[in-house]
């Protein structure tokens, strides 16, 4: 709730928010609800949009299941129903949250969980250290650290699948291809 209050003070409209919490008042952060919430967030994103996602919960790691991680481990979000539905792998998070975004969309993600440094499977990481925070406060980040576990092959695969689907059936087909590319 503190993050929601902070975000509304930054100008985000409460009517444009989806809150998942295991508090009995909000939707429960189950495997399906988390992925549905991510899909909801990115579904109508257009250039110029500013999206924000915050996850505060359990994070984990498990053996890589498709050979795309340099360190052999997938980072995960651990939903409340993980024992029956499983953890949400970084591949699925990238596929659902990052890959579908069009150019010109600003996505800010705050991950308050273990193993979150490369959970988005992006080529660069930002650690909120004192120096990094000061750079943001001063209006810009001068440099980002290379994510040593990033797989360019994964990004290329998603891009190629989306391009080929676009050639065959337009933007809707490209979005569907991007969402399914990681499962192949």
């Amino acid at each position: 709730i503190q993050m929601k209050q902070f975000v509304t003070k930054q100008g985000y409209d409460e009517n444009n928010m989806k809150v998942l919490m295991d508090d009995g008042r909000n939707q429960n952060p189950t495997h399906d609800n988390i992925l549905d919430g991510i899909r909801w967030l990115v579904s109508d994103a257009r250039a110029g949009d500013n999206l924000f996602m915050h996850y505060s919960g359990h994070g984990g790691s498990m053996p890589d299941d498709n050979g795309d991680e340099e360190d052999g481990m997938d980072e995960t979000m651990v939903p409340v129903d993980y024992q029956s539905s499983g953890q949400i792998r970084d591949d699925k998070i990238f596929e659902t949250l990052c890959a579908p975004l069009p150019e010109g969309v600003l996505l800010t993600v705050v991950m308050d969980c273990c193993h979150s440094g490369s959970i988005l499977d992006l080529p660069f990481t930002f650690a909120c250290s004192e120096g990094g925070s000061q750079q943001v406060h001063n209006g810009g980040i001068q440099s980002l650290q290379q994510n040593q576990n990033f797989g360019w092959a994964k990004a290329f695969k998603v891009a190629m699948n989306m391009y080929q689907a676009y050639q065959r059936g337009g933007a809707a087909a490209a979005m569907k291809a991007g969402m399914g590319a990681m499962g192949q």
Side-chain angles (χ1 to χ4, degrees):
I1 295 298
Q2 290 177 339
M3 183 58 80
K4 182 178 177 183
Q5 293 168 346
F6 173 77
V7 170
T8 55
K9 286 181 182 177
Q10 306 312 308
Y12 287 89
D13 183 351
E14 190 172 338
N15 294 318
N16 294 328
M17 293 181 193
K18 184 174 287 260
V19 177
L20 305 177
M21 289 179 63
D22 59 349
D23 63 355
R25 291 186 315 229
N26 293 284
Q27 220 178 0
N28 228 9
T30 64
H31 186 279
D32 289 345
N33 287 346
I34 290 171
L35 290 175
D36 287 345
I38 291 172
R39 288 183 195 102
W40 169 83
L41 178 65
V42 303
S43 64
D44 296 322
R46 297 182 307 274
D49 286 349
N50 192 346
L51 309 177
F52 181 84
M53 179 183 148
H54 171 246
Y55 175 80
S56 185
H58 293 289
S61 65
M62 57 195 325
D64 179 20
D65 65 345
N66 63 4
D68 69 335
E69 300 286 346
E70 293 290 324
D71 66 353
M73 301 296 284
D74 280 332
E75 288 68 45
T76 63
M77 294 170 74
V78 183
V80 295
D81 63 342
Y82 75 95
Q83 291 179 326
S84 60
S85 297
Q87 298 179 43
I88 304 172
R89 292 178 182 268
D90 54 8
D91 297 335
K92 181 56 102 174
I93 297 167
F94 174 83
E95 167 191 328
T96 310
L97 180 63
C98 302
L101 293 177
E103 183 177 348
V105 173
L106 176 64
L107 171 66
T108 301
V109 179
V110 176
M111 300 297 287
D112 177 17
C113 62
C114 294
H115 305 283
S116 63
S118 61
I119 201 165
L120 298 180
D121 271 355
L122 297 174
F124 300 97
T125 61
F126 173 75
C128 193
S129 62
E130 185 176 328
S133 297
Q134 191 62 42
Q135 287 180 16
V136 170
H137 181 74
N138 291 338
I141 300 170
Q142 302 303 314
S143 64
L144 295 172
Q145 294 178 343
Q146 181 77 36
N147 175 2
Q148 298 303 314
N149 295 317
F150 178 75
W152 284 104
K154 178 191 299 187
F156 182 72
K157 180 180 178 182
V158 170
M160 284 304 297
N161 284 350
M162 291 179 78
Y163 175 73
Q164 290 167 352
Y166 178 79
Q167 293 291 349
R168 290 189 306 270
M175 286 293 287
K176 186 175 180 181
M179 298 297 244
M182 302 312 295
Q184 297 176 357

